[in-house]
Amino acid sequence: MDVLDLARWQFGITTVYHFLMVPLTIGLSLLVAGMQTAWVRTGDRKYLAMTKFWGKLLLINFAMGVVTGIVQEFQFGMTWSAYSRFVGDVFGAPLAMEGLVAFFVESTFLGLWIFGWDRLPRRAHLACVWAFSLASIASAYFILAANSWMQHPVGAELVDGRARLTSIWAVLGNNTVLAAFPHTVFGAFAVAGAFLVGIAAWHLWRRSADGPVWRSSVKLGTWVGVVAFAGLAVSGDFQGKLMFEQQPMKMAAAEALCHTESPASFSVFAVGDVTRPDCENVKSITVPALLSFLAHNDFTTEVQGVEDLLPQYREKYGTNYPVDERLGELSGEPIDYVPNLVVTYWGFRLMIGFGAIGAGVGLLVLWLTRGGRTPGGRWFAWLALGGIATPFLGNSFGWIFTEMGRQPFVVVPNPSGVDGVWMFTARAVSNSTVGEVLTSLIALTTVYGVLACVEVFLIRKYVRGGVAGVLPDGKPDQPDEKSDDDVLSFAY
């Protein structure tokens, strides 16, 4: 492997790992805020127990997300310094906003929420968890604005070989981020819903105490997951139409569509060698004209294939990389404008498939636990716990498809203008040696592996502890003989 391959592996590993924590934090924080609101409004200690239990898991996940997220910023300077110089004048604004919102708002109000149980009035304490939750949403928006600029650069111009910001409002109002943001938030709710369903159903299977807590959690998680999946379908459809306009090669790669079709069929499943851009040996099960509808809301739109797009890309962006020693083995070589078809084609389908499975598992668990029922077989426990993984996998494959599908660009050209504001991934890496990047790759992967073990240990510990681990002085379904001041003293 050369420096480019190692740098991409390093960023891919650390980013996918970090993004396992992000959607759970976003979705679970809002659900915990809703649980605490229910407790403040009703006084029902079932909701207090839910807030305490799921809040404990939220805090563990948030802490790990912060630790793993810090590395992302360091990587820009470590292995992607050329990229950092190119986009720094644009990225500085949204990333600074994210830092201010994440660090000052999220951290401040999260701290007040953690330590304010026995110090703040109920409603003031409730306002803290809502402030933290909404700040995490705002933080996600700024990050997505930066990522969406890489997918569709706007509000910038090329000055002395660097992208210079001309309008922060264009960056924040980019139609790409307006589509990506709701899709990401719905994905976060899908993750949080499956998390609630899996753990709560497992406790029901164990016949744990505090049954009302777990049944309410199952119902909440199921309906959140189902609504989230519907939202993912709608927002994903909008994203597909933008992809057709902004990144036609990614659209073609997502379908392994090698030849232009009108109308274009949607490939449900392909058999054969999808690595070849001519698709001579590929046989697909298709839905006629569906891809045309996904691309342009009608059943007749022409969708260009890989082989017809290649000459257009070569004419616009060149046929060969420049002769430059910093490009390593790619110096002077022909540019391959076709993304990895295996990754894009199957990544797109795995994203959809795991999302649908997650929603299906939630509905099945809701049906199996109706009317106070709880299946006694071990299969039910495995079903519940296994369902937790499905939206995590769906999110991961979705991001892998999104980022791999724009190759060979790290900043994709805007087909409607913004002259020169694009960058090949091969030109974005630092002037590092293979040994340096390999060392950091091994070190970071090892550290992340250790952190994964720590998180699994902590999550497992507090999941098994159940309500008793967070409300040791009484069960939520028992009459509460304590005063409000005593209830507020149940601190973390």
Side-chain angles (χ1 to χ4, degrees), residues 244 248-267 270 273-280 282 284 286-287 289-292 295 301-310 338-342 344-346 348-349:
F244 171 69
M249 184 64 81
K250 183 189 287 186
M251 169 69 85
E255 291 300 310
L257 181 67
C258 299
H259 306 287
T260 300
E261 293 184 6
S262 178
S265 301
F266 179 84
S267 174
D273 185 7
V274 297
T275 63
R276 293 169 56 92
D278 56 16
C279 299
E280 290 182 356
V282 176
S284 296
T286 61
V287 179
L290 180 57
L291 182 59
S292 291
T301 293
E302 177 183 274
V303 180
Q304 292 183 300
V306 170
E307 290 204 323
D308 297 295
L309 287 168
L310 277 174
V338 183
N340 187 310
L341 293 181
V342 174
T344 51
Y345 180 85
W346 290 112
F348 186 68
R349 276 140 194 83

Side-chain angles (χ1 to χ4, degrees), residues 30-56 113 117 122 125-126 129 196 210-221 467 470-471 474-478 480 487 490 492:
L30 288 166
L31 295 184
V32 168
M35 295 170 190
Q36 186 167 344
T37 301
W39 171 61
V40 170
R41 289 176 59 88
T42 67
D44 189 338
R45 291 192 63 199
K46 172 182 69 176
Y47 297 118
L48 173 63
M50 291 171 65
T51 303
K52 288 285 190 175
F53 177 78
W54 298 111
K56 175 73 76 173
W113 186 65
W117 281 92
R122 279 192 183 186
H125 188 253
L126 175 63
V129 70
L196 261 66
D210 316 307
V213 171
W214 308 125
R215 292 192 180 277
S216 294
S217 295
V218 166
K219 291 180 180 179
L220 175 62
V467 171
V470 292
L471 281 177
K475 296 182 179 180
D477 52 338
Q478 290 179 338
D480 184 10
V487 172
F490 291 128
Y492 284 102

Side-chain angles (χ1 to χ4, degrees), residues 36 50 87 92 109 117 134 136 141 157 213 249 254 259 348 355 372-373 396 412 414 444 454 464:
Q36 186 167 344
M50 291 171 65
V87 304
F109 284 100
W117 281 92
L134 296 177
S136 67
Y141 188 89
E157 62 181 359
V213 171
M249 184 64 81
H259 306 287
F348 186 68
R373 300 178 180 88
S396 297
V412 181
N414 184 336
L444 290 174
V454 171
R464 293 182 69 87

